[in-house]
Amino acid sequence: MAETRTSRRRSGGRAGAAARRGSAVIDQMPWNPPVNTDRPTEPLGPEGIEAIHDGAMRILEEIGIEFYNEEAIGILREAGCTIKDSNVRMGRDFVMEMVAKAPSSFTITPRNPDHQITIGGRNLLFGNVSSPPNYWDMEIGKKVPGTRRMCQDLLKLTQFFNCIHFAGGYPVEPVDIHASVRHLDVLYDKLTLTDKAMHAYSLGKERVEDVMEMVRIASGLSHEEFEASPRMYTNINSTSPLKHDHPMIDGCLRLARRGQAIVVTPFTLAGAMAPVTMAGAVAQSLAEALCAIALFQYVRPGIPCVIGTFTSNVDMKSGAPAFGTPEYMRSTQMTGQMARFYNLPMRSSGVCAANVPDGQSIWETSNSLWAAVQSGTNMVYHAAGWLEGGLIASPEKFVMDCEILQHIQRYMQPELVATGPDDIALDAIRDVGNDGHFFGIQHTQDRYSTAFYQPFLSDWKNYEAWDAAGGIWTAERAHRMFKEIVGSFEAPPMEEAIREELAEFVERRKAEGGAPTDF
């Protein structure tokens, strides 16, 4: 069995590296996940790091976290934590001992091994928008509930763009599919329309177990091969303040026992679910994340874990969430310092509160993406396509965000700061002298096609030329590009026997009722 599946993995996997993605639509940068070459921004001094760490530890020691999962309570009781009903208090020595067992970096290998990603170190990875219940595009012109077709179109963008490195949760919730079987249909679409690293929602044992089995089948792996190294991941959120629910912890325990990666991301909005001060909000977020990571490391030492941050603030006038704010940027940078203190990989997000793909959506998203760069983030969730604080997914916004992501990727390329003799270019400067120009000299001609970033969406014509070409604003250009991409999209190759096995699994699980929806 293992030999047969390994062979199928090679024929159906590496062939996927050359998958036809309709690349003629735009001339985009190649698949090349960036390495963050900059020093991180560190707003905290040593005393600030120690103060936030001590605050997080005191939350765990003196206040405790509610765990609404009986299995987790039993495990933590065995580990020597103080338990009172569902409240768990744990000492800092235990927490730090457990967290130290987590690797500082690891890989996830999807069905196409050429799209393997390394999480940790200076690696910077971008994922698609995940989990909005609603959708907006320029053709519809209004906010509407998500459908399977909309979800499929956003998955096609996820595969098409080389600057998207992993496939997060559903890029929009297809509410036209019943919740009991939604995960089966969407994972089938994800695994056939993309060949990038997969995510599983930790929302009940059936969903997690189904997704693990589907990822295993799609990769042509035996059970032993699947469990030997991470092939997928989950992301969970604490229920702030200071709670972990049953299904998310259950899902993580199941993935941990099978060697798959876990991202723990508290959702702490300062002024609502966390203190109004950013240091207090960060300390609470760390406490909520570290206690879960300690649990998973106790269950399976060395299981890959990522500490996430989703600390922003609310509008104190309305109570609405705000994103891409100065406070969001600082909390992300501070959490980055703390992630390095704990030697853990980090996740943050590309987010905004704008309702349509307008100027506000871009400056807030750009702020959050550059905060990810400055913080040393390794995984950037929602890097393309997010609107209305996560309530809307938009294909136009997806395309616009990918232009920003390519800017970041180009910014990190080492040739931009190279200082060799050809880069200092004294001979070229000497040739031009005091009264010439550099357009026509050989030094420029040798480099003209690769010297500078070339956008796929920005319009660099002057006003008159832009107006004569129809005066097309950015969002409309993005809409046209979206339509061209999905219209010419070709899915990455998959061996027919694997596709059939996936389809058979989906139909069997549907016949069995899928997953319960009563929680």
Side-chain angles (χ1 to χ4, degrees):
M1 174 69 105
E3 291 179 2
T4 301
R5 291 189 180 281
T6 301
S7 173
R8 282 172 24 184
R9 181 181 72 238
R10 285 197 294 268
S11 63
R14 292 198 182 276
R20 296 182 297 271
R21 304 182 185 88
S23 57
V25 175
I26 63 169
D27 184 15
Q28 62 173 316
M29 297 175 72
W31 169 273
N32 187 25
V35 173
N36 191 339
T37 56
D38 285 2
R39 293 186 181 92
T41 299
E42 298 192 329
L44 299 172
E47 68 289 346
I49 293 174
E50 181 55 37
I52 290 179
H53 168 64
D54 183 64
M57 294 301 104
R58 290 187 64 186
I59 291 169
L60 296 177
E61 291 171 332
E62 301 173 16
I63 302 170
I65 307 291
E66 298 290 318
F67 278 84
Y68 299 136
N69 183 294
E70 292 183 2
E71 182 184 9
I73 290 288
I75 293 167
L76 293 169
R77 179 178 286 111
E78 174 191 292
C81 298
T82 301
I83 312 292
K84 183 177 181 181
D85 298 325
S86 58
N87 183 268
V88 178
R89 300 185 187 185
M90 51 184 71
R92 66 184 67 200
D93 291 344
F94 168 76
V95 174
M96 295 301 285
E97 179 186 355
M98 292 300 107
V99 169
K101 297 178 185 295
S104 59
S105 67
F106 60 92
T107 62
I108 297 178
T109 307
R111 71 177 182 90
N112 176 3
D114 288 336
H115 281 161
Q116 182 186 80
I117 54 176
T118 300
I119 299 169
R122 289 183 171 269
N123 297 293
L124 178 59
L125 303 165
F126 302 119
N128 58 345
V129 60
S130 302
S131 305
N134 303 300
Y135 176 92
W136 185 98
D137 72 24
M138 293 194 73
E139 185 174 340
I140 298 172
K142 62 180 180 179
K143 172 180 171 179
V144 296
T147 67
R148 185 176 186 180
R149 183 193 61 78
M150 295 166 182
C151 186
Q152 290 168 337
D153 284 349
L154 291 165
L155 288 171
K156 292 173 183 178
L157 295 180
T158 298
Q159 177 68 13
F160 176 87
F161 279 103
N162 294 326
C163 59
I164 301 298
H165 307 117
F166 60 91
Y170 312 158
V172 68
E173 284 278 349
V175 297
D176 57 337
I177 307 174
H178 193 273
S180 63
V181 296
R182 186 178 301 162
H183 66 290
L184 297 167
D185 284 336
V186 177
L187 257 293
Y188 180 84
D189 290 343
K190 287 179 74 173
L191 288 165
T192 54
L193 293 175
T194 79
D195 60 10
K196 298 178 180 179
M198 287 288 120
H199 162 276
Y201 285 109
S202 285
L203 295 173
K205 65 179 182 179
E206 292 83 4
R207 290 176 178 82
V208 167
E209 297 289 351
D210 286 346
V211 174
M212 285 194 285
E213 184 63 5
M214 291 178 72
V215 170
R216 183 190 70 80
I217 291 169
S219 297
L221 300 170
S222 69
H223 290 283
E224 293 76 15
E225 289 172 319
F226 175 79
E227 295 179 14
S229 64
R231 302 286 177 169
M232 53 173 289
Y233 69 98
T234 191
N235 175 84
I236 66 166
N237 305 112
S238 52
T239 306
S240 303
L242 307 180
K243 295 181 287 292
H244 281 286
D245 68 17
H246 180 278
M248 289 193 176
I249 293 295
D250 176 79
C252 288
L253 290 173
R254 292 174 185 277
L255 267 73
R257 289 179 172 126
R258 296 192 65 188
Q260 305 307 305
I262 299 166
V263 183
V264 184
T265 310
F267 184 12
T268 47
L269 287 175
M273 298 120 72
V276 72
T277 54
M278 301 318 294
V282 169
Q284 179 186 309
S285 174
L286 292 171
E288 293 177 6
L290 292 172
C291 65
I293 293 172
L295 167 66
F296 306 141
Q297 294 302 319
Y298 184 82
V299 169
R300 180 159 177 169
I303 192 69
C305 287
V306 177
I307 190 167
T309 177
F310 214 95
T311 299
S312 192
N313 58 285
V314 296
D315 177 0
M316 297 302 286
K317 297 178 181 177
S318 67
F323 297 102
T325 63
E327 291 81 9
Y328 177 92
M329 296 179 73
R330 279 306 198 192
S331 69
T332 303
Q333 295 163 0
M334 292 158 69
T335 305
Q337 285 188 264
M338 301 309 298
R340 289 186 291 280
F341 177 81
Y342 298 118
N343 202 28
L344 290 170
M346 178 174 154
R347 171 239 151 142
S348 64
S349 299
V351 288
C352 69
N355 298 306
V356 293
D358 59 4
Q360 176 188 336
S361 77
I362 294 305
W363 72 63
E364 290 179 351
T365 299
S366 185
N367 283 350
S368 62
L369 289 173
W370 280 103
V373 171
Q374 295 163 348
S375 68
T377 287
N378 303 114
M379 296 182 79
V380 185
Y381 267 54
H382 313 300
W386 163 296
L387 286 173
E388 200 198 358
L391 295 178
I392 296 175
S394 161
E396 292 87 1
K397 179 66 161 39
F398 198 115
V399 174
M400 292 161 71
D401 289 339
C402 284
E403 184 84 277
I404 304 175
L405 300 183
Q406 284 207 158
H407 284 194
I408 294 171
Q409 183 171 325
R410 173 61 173 169
Y411 173 88
M412 291 299 175
Q413 290 181 333
E415 56 264 36
L416 265 65
V417 292
T419 56
D422 285 345
D423 304 295
I424 300 300
L426 284 177
D427 289 342
I429 296 169
R430 185 177 293 111
D431 288 346
V432 171
N434 304 96
D435 57 357
H437 63 74
F438 289 83
F439 280 117
I441 67 170
Q442 193 62 46
H443 184 273
T444 301
Q445 293 300 305
D446 290 343
R447 296 162 179 80
Y448 82 96
S449 63
T450 59
F452 307 127
Y453 175 76
Q454 289 297 310
F456 64 83
L457 183 61
S458 295
D459 188 332
W460 286 353
K461 296 188 290 289
N462 64 24
Y463 180 87
E464 288 75 16
W466 169 80
D467 189 49
I472 309 301
W473 287 47
T474 305
E476 187 176 347
R477 294 198 302 273
H479 176 76
R480 294 180 179 184
M481 196 169 292
F482 152 62
K483 288 295 189 179
E484 290 182 47
I485 291 169
V486 299
S488 61
F489 181 82
E490 295 183 45
M494 173 178 280
E495 190 171 318
E496 191 58 33
I498 290 180
R499 187 185 298 272
E500 291 175 1
E501 188 176 354
L502 267 180
E504 290 168 2
F505 178 84
V506 168
E507 291 309 308
R508 176 173 64 80
R509 287 291 296 120
K510 284 184 175 181
E512 294 169 350
T517 58
D518 58 351
F519 61 86

